[in-house]
Amino acid sequence: MSKITRDGDDKPVNPEADHDSGVSRRSFLKGSGIALSVPLVTGGVRTVKAAGQDVKIHGPNKVSITLDINGKKQAATVEPRVTLLDTLRNELDTTGAKRVCDRGTCGACTVLMDGKPVYACSVLAIEAQGKKIQTVENLELNGKLSPVQQAIVDNDGQQCGFCTPGFTVACTALLNKYPDPTDEQTRLGLGGNLCRCGTYVGLREAVKQVAAQRKGGKR
Amino acid sequence: MQKFEYANATTIQQAVALLGNTWGEAEVLAGGTDLLALMKDYVVAPKRLVNIKDIKELKGITMTANGLRLGSLVTFEEVLDNAAIKRSYPAIWQAVAGVTSPQIRNMGTVGGDLCQRPRCWYYRAGYGILAKDENGKALVPDGDNRYHAILGNEGEAKYVNPSSLAPALISLMAKIKVAGPKGSREIAADQFFVTPKSDNEREYALAPNEIVTDILIPSASGVKTATYEVRQREVLDWPLATASVALKLDGKTVKSAKIALGHVAPVPVDSDAAAKALVGKAVTEDTAEAAGAAAVANARALSRNAYKIQLAKVAVKRAILQAAG
């Protein structure tokens, strides 16, 4: 079995693997001063017969995809191995979802997919096509913080802030599912997100504040 | 992650045709919560990924008087939100509730839960399913084996089966329906998991070109069931020991019992000894504890996991008490 390269998660075991485009990072950097754009190698789609039917095979080189991000259709050209998270951050300039563990554990990359919270690091961009993706950027309305965002500010629900976008989306999803969650529902409902600073108490209070506001109560 | 080609299957026949005859050439993508992490770490490096999430036949929950059918693509969140499962199959519902990340529950599927790979950190670090170094030396016996097996660990495999659902399915005598190029077959839940002898084999009884299509659970009418997990953390953690029980009572006396343990051995353990210890007796703290003791009577600790024997024993005891109410 292949041993693991420890010197970087994104480095392919076979360094040649990334050179299929004919453009190495070095030649790209050298050339980018002269050429305005580097032609993208796409067309990585072919058709095979499977069980008597035509099935499209995408990749392994870059393929064109369309994603529905925050209500806007956005095109990107990525290899099938690229995650939704990396596509958002590196291709679509949508950096709200954070890349922290990149292994579906910490929750910093949480986005809503068809309204449900998921880890964007554990979804391939190519399989996210046709789904409605909402990131933390979409919560704000007309320059005004959403009730969840405001409540997190009010209740000191952040410290270093790195987990905050993921928690904000997770709190929003929790309150969508349970408009007035019990303490246990809140505790478990935020169980997919980690905060190393320990802002859990503030975040739980923020959820309570939003629930109370919705009931017309004041705090 | 190594490059791969991606195919989106829309029928079971397409999916199995797109999978190869050799393990590792192609992998099945369902929830992706485990597979993508393994691929990022180069532990798994398929040439092709077959997405099965658009296969409609693999979806849906059906409950009838005869039992419960879960399509393999049913997510954990769908099970959690299903009041009828909570009422009629508490062991399954509680096993699902033990996965305390809503994100994982929204993505993770019941079929994927059965086919996920062990969490053994030697495996995840690239030393193979049997955790051997370059010279063939076994790493677990003298290594950090605090989360490894306490039962069934005499052979080379020392990891624990990671499935949350498996103990509940075994206790309920469920069947796993799988499909391949030649059609479908059903595998009893307690026969689904196997212990591989090399990295060219898997921990489950599927052929490389077979996929799980359904989980079929017989009616649990008149059966009292429960799952009890012991975890270090309340949220998002792997169980240290799990027990699921299904009891038929005659008055207060246990008429029959099926008791299965998870996270303690390379395969989920169907403990006849625990069941025998309980049958014919009333459920009390003492008889439940005796059943727990019977379940771990043959346990053998590695250098750093003796504590798990006590946890497994207590998991059995508490699952029995919980089921009996």
Side-chain angles (χ1 to χ4, degrees), chain B residues 190-231:
Chain B
D190 61 356
Q191 302 294 311
F192 184 77
F193 298 97
V194 297
T195 306
K197 292 183 180 63
S198 79
D199 279 308
N200 300 322
E201 297 172 26
R202 289 278 162 106
E203 312 86 64
Y204 32 81
L206 291 175
N209 52 8
E210 283 182 320
I211 61 171
V212 175
T213 58
D214 311 80
I215 298 175
L216 307 168
I217 305 140
S219 164
S221 170
V223 184
K224 291 181 174 292
T225 77
T227 293
Y228 191 91
E229 275 188 13
V230 183
R231 289 197 301 268

Side-chain angles (χ1 to χ4, degrees), chain A residues 83-147:
Chain A
T83 61
L84 172 61
L85 176 64
D86 286 348
T87 305
L88 287 170
R89 294 182 56 80
N90 302 341
E91 308 290 330
L92 303 176
D93 217 12
T94 307
T95 54
K98 297 286 176 268
R99 194 189 207 242
V100 180
C101 77
D102 202 31
R103 296 293 183 280
T105 301
C106 75
C109 66
T110 302
V111 299
L112 301 182
M113 193 156 86
D114 287 342
K116 293 172 186 158
V118 299
Y119 296 136
C121 75
S122 300
V123 179
L124 294 173
I126 194 168
E127 55 162 321
Q129 297 183 99
K131 315 268 186 199
K132 286 188 177 10
I133 311 295
Q134 275 180 283
T135 70
V136 70
E137 281 94 340
N138 201 42
L139 299 181
E140 203 179 271
L141 258 184
N142 305 322
K144 200 165 169 272
L145 296 182
S146 76

Side-chain angles (χ1 to χ4, degrees), chain B residues 43-292:
Chain B
V43 175
V44 174
K47 296 193 180 97
R48 176 183 289 172
L49 216 54
V50 180
N51 179 33
I52 60 168
K53 278 198 293 293
D54 289 333
I55 303 178
K56 290 191 184 70
E57 304 143 271
L58 303 182
K59 295 179 185 179
I61 299 173
T62 327
M63 203 189 287
T64 65
N66 295 328
L68 171 67
R69 178 249 171 199
L70 301 174
S72 60
L73 286 179
V74 166
T75 65
F76 268 40
E77 192 76 351
E78 287 176 79
V79 176
L80 195 75
D81 289 345
N82 192 302
I85 295 179
K86 185 178 184 181
R87 199 169 46 242
S88 301
Y89 298 91
I92 288 176
W93 191 87
Q94 287 154 7
V96 163
V99 178
T100 45
S101 159
Q103 291 93 325
I104 295 282
R105 289 198 308 265
N106 279 319
M107 306 167 79
T109 64
V110 294
D113 174 76
L114 301 178
C115 297
Q116 65 182 310
R117 311 301 302 278
R119 312 305 304 184
C120 166
W121 39 36
Y122 294 101
Y123 168 62
R124 301 255 159 186
Y127 292 102
I129 197 72
L130 302 176
K132 292 178 189 173
D133 70 9
E134 292 78 358
N135 304 317
K137 181 180 178 291
L139 294 165
V140 176
D142 302 319
D144 193 340
N145 51 40
R146 73 182 91 168
Y147 301 131
H148 285 80
I150 51 168
L151 284 161
N153 57 7
E154 306 79 15
E156 289 194 302
K158 312 269 189 218
Y159 61 84
V160 296
N161 180 276
S163 169
S164 290
L165 281 176
L169 296 181
I170 291 171
S171 71
L172 287 158
M173 292 189 270
K175 289 202 161 70
I176 318 294
K177 193 172 171 190
V178 308
K182 287 179 195 150
S184 293
R185 62 189 178 109
E186 290 177 8
I187 308 171
D190 61 356
Q191 302 294 311
F192 184 77
F193 298 97
V194 297
T195 306
K197 292 183 180 63
S198 79
D199 279 308
N200 300 322
E201 297 172 26
R202 289 278 162 106
E203 312 86 64
Y204 32 81
L206 291 175
N209 52 8
E210 283 182 320
I211 61 171
V212 175
T213 58
D214 311 80
I215 298 175
L216 307 168
I217 305 140
S219 164
S221 170
V223 184
K224 291 181 174 292
T225 77
T227 293
Y228 191 91
E229 275 188 13
V230 183
R231 289 197 301 268
Q232 221 154 8
R233 297 174 64 236
E234 182 184 51
V235 293
L236 197 49
D237 201 359
W238 296 93
L240 298 162
T242 303
S244 291
V245 303
L247 307 177
K248 278 189 190 153
L249 299 178
D250 185 4
K252 286 196 167 171
T253 310
V254 176
K255 215 163 68 183
S256 72
K258 189 93 169 151
I259 299 176
L261 289 82
H263 304 273
V264 293
V267 295
V269 175
D270 179 2
S271 181
D272 281 341
K276 270 198 194 114
L278 202 59
V279 169
K281 304 197 174 91
V283 174
T284 64
E285 287 257 341
D286 288 343
T287 56
E289 179 153 353

Side-chain angles (χ1 to χ4, degrees), chain A residues 3-4 11-12 17 20 46 53 58 61 79 81 102-103 105 110 117 119 121 127 177 187 189 193, chain B residues 1 3-6 14 36 40-43 53 77 81 101-103 106-107 125-126 128 233-234 236:
Chain A
K3 290 291 173 232
I4 278 150
K11 206 172 192 178
D20 292 353
R46 63 194 169 92
Q53 290 159 311
H58 307 262
N61 291 334
E79 293 169 349
R81 64 173 160 171
D102 202 31
R103 296 293 183 280
T105 301
T110 302
Y119 296 136
C121 75
E127 55 162 321
K177 183 155 186 168
R187 216 170 62 239
N193 293 66
Chain B
M1 205 185 296
K3 284 185 170 192
F4 55 81
E5 58 181 36
Y6 174 93
Q14 279 179 14
L36 294 189
K40 287 174 187 178
D41 288 333
Y42 302 104
V43 175
K53 278 198 293 293
E77 192 76 351
D81 289 345
S101 159
Q103 291 93 325
N106 279 319
M107 306 167 79
R233 297 174 64 236
E234 182 184 51
L236 197 49

